[in-house]
Amino acid sequence: MERTLVKDTLNKVGKTVTVKGWVNTKRDHSKIVFIDLRDRTGLVQIVGTGDLLSSLKPEDVIAIEGLVKVRPEKLVNPHLETGTVEIEALKMTVLSPSSELPIDLGKETLEVELPTLLDHRSLSFRHPKIQAIFKLQAVVIDAFRKAMVAKDFLEFQAPAIINAVPEGGAEVFKVKYFDKEAYLSQSPQLYKSLLTTAFERVFSVNQMFRAEPSTTSRHLTEATSLDAEFNFLESWEDVLDMEEYVVRFIFKEVEERCQKELALFEATIPLMSNKFPILKLREAQEIIFKRTGRDCREEKDLAPEDEREICAWAKEEKGSDLIFVSHFLTKKKPFYVYPDPADPTYCLSVDLLCRGVEWSSGGQRLNDYDTILKNVKEWGLQEEDVALYLQAFKYGSPQLGGFALGAERITMYILGLKNVREASMFPRDMERIDIHLSAQ
Amino acid sequence: MERTLVKDTLNKVGKTVTVKGWVNTKRDHSKIVFIDLRDRTGLVQIVGTGDLLSSLKPEDVIAIEGLVKVRPEKLVNPHLETGTVEIEALKMTVLSPSSELPIDLGKETLEVELPTLLDHRSLSFRHPKIQAIFKLQAVVIDAFRKAMVAKDFLEFQAPAIINAVPEGGAEVFKVKYFDKEAYLSQSPQLYKSLLTTAFERVFSVNQMFRAEPSTTSRHLTEATSLDAEFNFLESWEDVLDMEEYVVRFIFKEVEERCQKELALFEATIPLMSNKFPILKLREAQEIIFKRTGRDCREEKDLAPEDEREICAWAKEEKGSDLIFVSHFLTKKKPFYVYPDPADPTYCLSVDLLCRGVEWSSGGQRLNDYDTILKNVKEWGLQEEDVALYLQAFKYGSPQLGGFALGAERITMYILGLKNVREASMFPRDMERIDIHLSAQ
């Protein structure tokens, strides 16, 4: 008999159906056994005789042929989408038996520490709350693409292997490339910028690589980046407007499509005011100084505690979980940043912070060939290492800018996860690539 | 004045507009000058006085304020979408001047050899015919995702860095991973398979890496793979049906959305019969032997000339550019292939060929834990190298299968490009990562 998906059993009352899935939980009352059967669409209760069902174990894969019945009102389960029905099992087939589980998947929350979770990564994916993380992440990424396509951006596939590291090589992974050396891309920045000189508007969902010898809760060595870049800017604020549009678009889609996932984490979409507030770095530092007495006014960047403080300010004073911080120090940024004509010490780069952490960086880039070439030399780079980049800007190139958002960070901070590793299906860090590396 | 996009000038007859873009071509009749202005939406003719326009060079970026006028009927240009109008220039501003061009972008086809094309990769993207390649490719990839989402597949981001090479290490790139060694993924095969045990249906658009010391017209060291995997198969033929559905979906979208791009290459969508024909490897080899006298009947795979021949047969005999070839030798395939129960020497793996070349490989995979574990040992692999994979299948795992399509190959063979490098924005091979490597 053709398979009926769990969520469709609601429309099959009085009919005999075959459902297939995993034994999520079992309650055995000896003569009568209750199974919560799980498939990709949810859970449904199976009820059957001990003879038929008592041998089953959690995570056995089974097919159940049975009659869909309405539950008596007092037995309706409001926590289950299919809670108004149950299936009276007539026939059961084990399609694939499970071994005994090393972790308990039957609880509402997986009560394990992060290393245990990751040691059991494959199994953890079966837990509805873990699945919710990655369903939401898929919506974030899909929404990003939709937002860009709606604004006439062309999707491109950013390469991972690069031949040089023009942005500095300390935190880059080296690749043995036949008899040469190559690297893994830290960002598709140069590629997306050069592409604007032909396609005007481009975006990319890509893997980026950072060899940061860091084990913080916020860093991965491989992560998914949502990159956008466009030109014919009228003003550098076009970049802010585009980014704000994209972030709002993503939140709207998540709100519409992920109610169930948000509810599982008791999570809410970040608070937004009519317009995301924006501060220059020095303004932000002044505010932090006034609020906390901590003097960071000469620092070149915001420290993590500064990011938290300025986000607290934005929420209290502007009613916004999100805030742009702009005008970082030109000399501390890559060669392509656009100095503010009003004060070239600072540049038209901008970070987007949300809920205490940086979500994105972006800004306007240099588009004048001679200035770019001068900076390449001033920043101590080799011309041949940025050959394709220089070529793009030599032959007519409008004013451009863009931004990149981190998919894992967005997921993490929407859902309130404690560690970014939870928001990556296969998190890589100094100590782990699927398995703990010291175990090799 | 707000920018009007070139394609929208058709709706602005009699109005004064500002268009912005690149000087695609210039025809200078001294007192009167004609410019074809290019933006991301197309070309439009500008006409103006020599005083205003004669100083312009190809690829200068300009803004033109001018009056949109209907052209006299005999001056309509049928080759241009905006061929019924032209803009009488009133004011011209150079936004960014171009240097002298090293290649001529003004011709209908870029008449340069491949190495020259790639040496000028950034500039080449400005040519309408080169742009068409990547617009079509973006549609192929978007259509793949749409097809999968419509069938309830979840998108995931496949990791590039892996800790071991269970499928054999000859053609894998090594990464220096802190003080350890890691590798670049040749395929997300194991990840997508293990994910089905939780999510049932998954897909991924990802970069894959092959250290093939090859300089053929069909190989790249980094390419974009369109991966799908699903379970609860009733039969291994479910995999063929799903793949056929996806390919038809992609073609339909390309046909609907890429008429202009197809026309530029005088290209057509591959010929399809009601159902893609399917042959077992040995049947295909027998047909090739009968047609050509070339005896490949003992070979473990189809050679390039065999692929061309069997595609010729499919077209002549079945009216199809596409053909499935199945039942390759189990022992020549990876440890997870599913042997045909009727004859375990051959396995339920399947390639999809089109227009003389392999587009895809796929098939049913083993889902029984004990058999997988036995094979891991028999194939000489280390259990810890496939730890997450084994974990997924230990705890209840339905029958599964899937396939992977190469985005560049699809693009190449739809458009009839001569070399797969033309279908990759930033092709990497033994000798080139953006620049020719011996130039380093």
Side-chain angles (χ1 to χ4, degrees), chain B residues 72-112:
Chain B
E73 198 161 341
K74 60 178 178 167
L75 295 179
V76 163
N77 181 349
H79 301 297
L80 224 53
E81 276 182 274
T82 62
T84 55
V85 301
E86 64 183 8
I87 299 175
E88 192 181 285
L90 304 170
K91 197 177 150 191
M92 189 278 290
T93 317
V94 175
L95 301 176
S96 174
S98 172
S99 298
E100 196 181 334
L101 294 182
I103 54 176
D104 184 354
L105 292 176
K107 297 195 174 165
E108 263 187 45
T109 296
L110 256 185
E111 287 165 0
V112 295

Side-chain angles (χ1 to χ4, degrees), chain B residues 307-324:
Chain B
E307 294 183 346
R308 284 191 292 273
E309 187 60 36
I310 207 65
C311 283
W313 174 85
K315 190 158 188 175
E316 290 164 27
E317 300 295 326
K318 303 287 177 182
S320 175
D321 271 330
L322 296 115
I323 178 169
F324 285 119

Side-chain angles (χ1 to χ4, degrees), chain A residues 370-385:
Chain A
D370 292 332
T371 314
I372 296 172
L373 187 60
K374 183 173 75 65
N375 277 15
V376 163
K377 289 171 186 164
E378 227 170 83
W379 261 250
L381 311 177
Q382 302 300 313
E383 276 183 58
E384 64 265 32
D385 288 352

Side-chain angles (χ1 to χ4, degrees), chain A residues 321-333:
Chain A
D321 272 329
L322 295 115
I323 178 170
F324 285 118
V325 178
S326 70
H327 288 79
F328 294 87
L329 285 157
T330 303
K331 280 293 178 189
K332 298 290 179 187
K333 291 281 180 183

Side-chain angles (χ1 to χ4, degrees), chain A residues 20 126 160 191 222 395 434, chain B residues 126 160 191 222 234 395 434:
Chain A
K20 296 180 183 180
R126 302 187 183 192
Y191 294 101
E222 179 173 356
Y395 305 104
D434 299 339
Chain B
R126 302 187 183 193
Y191 294 101
E222 179 173 356
E234 294 287 337
Y395 305 103
D434 298 340

Side-chain angles (χ1 to χ4, degrees), chain A residues 11-161:
Chain A
N11 313 317
K12 300 269 178 139
V13 172
K15 299 223 167 71
T16 301
V17 299
T18 296
V19 288
K20 296 180 183 180
W22 289 262
V23 173
N24 197 66
T25 50
K26 182 177 111 175
R27 295 177 302 289
D28 197 331
H29 301 295
S30 170
K31 283 197 178 159
I32 187 162
V33 175
F34 295 92
I35 300 280
D36 274 355
L37 185 85
R38 185 186 75 241
D39 75 9
R40 70 178 187 270
T41 67
L43 296 169
V44 68
Q45 177 164 285
I46 311 289
V47 53
T49 62
D51 285 352
L52 199 61
L53 303 179
S54 69
S55 63
L56 290 175
K57 307 178 302 299
E59 296 307 311
D60 283 345
V61 179
I62 58 173
I64 295 278
E65 193 179 314
L67 182 66
V68 184
K69 297 173 92 167
V70 172
R71 294 203 211 182
E73 199 162 340
K74 60 179 180 166
L75 294 179
V76 163
N77 181 348
H79 302 297
L80 224 53
E81 277 183 273
T82 62
T84 55
V85 300
E86 64 184 7
I87 298 174
E88 192 182 284
L90 304 171
K91 197 176 150 191
M92 188 278 289
T93 317
V94 175
L95 301 175
S96 173
S98 173
S99 297
E100 196 180 334
L101 294 182
I103 54 174
D104 184 355
L105 293 176
K107 297 194 172 164
E108 263 186 45
T109 296
L110 255 185
E111 288 165 358
V112 295
E113 297 295 319
L114 187 64
T116 306
L117 175 75
L118 297 180
D119 285 343
H120 298 88
R121 196 45 159 160
S122 290
L123 202 51
S124 78
F125 290 134
R126 302 187 183 192
H127 194 280
K129 219 168 150 179
I130 305 288
Q131 297 201 346
I133 297 171
F134 299 107
K135 286 178 182 174
L136 184 137
Q137 188 166 81
V139 169
V140 167
I141 292 170
D142 185 54
F144 169 72
R145 285 192 302 250
K146 267 192 187 167
M148 302 317 322
V149 168
K151 293 284 184 190
D152 217 10
F153 282 64
L154 179 77
E155 180 175 6
F156 78 99
Q157 306 303 315
I161 298 175

